[in-house]
Amino acid sequence: MSMKTLTFCLSLCVLALVASRCHKGPYAATNKSYNKQVKAYARELRRNPGGQTMATATSWVGTTNFNMRKPNLVVIHHTAQNSCDQTLKTFTLPRTQVSAHYVICQDGIVHHMLNDYLRAWHGGVGRWGSITDVNSASIGIEVDNDGFKPFTEPQLASLMTLLDTLKHRYGIPTANFIGHADIAPTRKNDPNVNFPWKRFAEKGFGLWWSDTTGVQVPASFDDIDALKVIGYDVRDSVATIQAFRRKFLQLEGSKTLSDGDRKVLYTLYKQALR
Ligand SMILES: [Zn+2]
């Protein structure tokens, strides 16, 4: 082989290498890490037959009838970051210890970051009803938003399609589409006050209140008990009332419920009892 031919071949090799790296994209290394972790969990699932038994059992008898556990709750967040790229980076850095199943960018592009059957780290400390390990029960969806701006139409449309898919695939109840602030009212306010919960509830994602004209709130009606029935953690009732007003009245600020707010709460309470 002549020197010229060798140089040409080497140039081709370099080009092929660069092209393959470009093709793999900036997340090639973290995708590899994801696959490695998934394989480790697959090994864990295979470990029991013929191996060590769990808890206090003395023998292993593998049943023939089972499938995977399903998510039963969807938690919607805003990223409170400046771009989708920033969020993708945050969720692929081990030191941040945060993640979500899906990230929806302002142009409506949806990034799937974790298999729906696996547990993302998006909820932190929080509870909904009697569920205290929200991450184990839920799918986490992060919508790219700085925490203050309105959400874009393309991202709301993508979110609507995604929620529809999840609802039908896993049989998630209407009332179980909630926001991060619902499960952690003392720490979180996402998705922000501009999130159109009414629009989503009309499509079957989350509860919404009915017309309150003529509604009479019974004298015995207890606001805090009602918030608890809906699912809220009421240990800090002021924070819970603020979360409730932000979501259902799209209002920030007041720490108490007006007569009109109590009518809204009453109609929601009655729906939650069904
Ligand atoms: Zn959040």
Side-chain angles (χ1 to χ4, degrees), residues 45 48 59 76 78 116 118 153 163 187 205 219 239 243 266 274:
L45 290 173
N48 278 318
S59 77
I76 298 168
H78 65 217
D116 297 346
L118 296 176
E153 282 305 319
L163 295 187
R187 299 186 299 115
F205 311 116
Y266 182 59
R274 279 181 209 149

Side-chain angles (χ1 to χ4, degrees), residues 77-78 142 180 190:
H77 304 254
H78 65 217
E142 290 276 355
H180 199 184
D190 59 318

Side-chain angles (χ1 to χ4, degrees), residues 191-257:
N192 78 42
V193 70
N194 297 306
F195 188 81
W197 281 108
K198 181 172 190 282
R199 218 163 109 186
F200 279 83
E202 282 166 358
K203 298 287 182 187
F205 311 116
L207 292 184
W208 197 254
W209 44 285
S210 46
D211 184 10
T212 59
T213 312
V215 166
Q216 296 282 337
V217 177
S220 59
F221 182 65
D222 185 311
D223 303 344
I224 304 304
D225 279 352
L227 288 164
K228 202 170 178 180
V229 167
I230 291 170
Y232 284 103
D233 176 356
V234 295
R235 283 175 294 180
D236 183 336
S237 59
V238 171
T240 307
I241 285 169
Q242 286 179 304
F244 172 83
R245 293 185 84 253
R246 186 186 305 112
K247 179 176 184 178
F248 292 108
L249 299 148
Q250 290 202 286
L251 294 170
E252 292 276 17
S254 177
K255 295 175 180 176
T256 54
L257 294 169

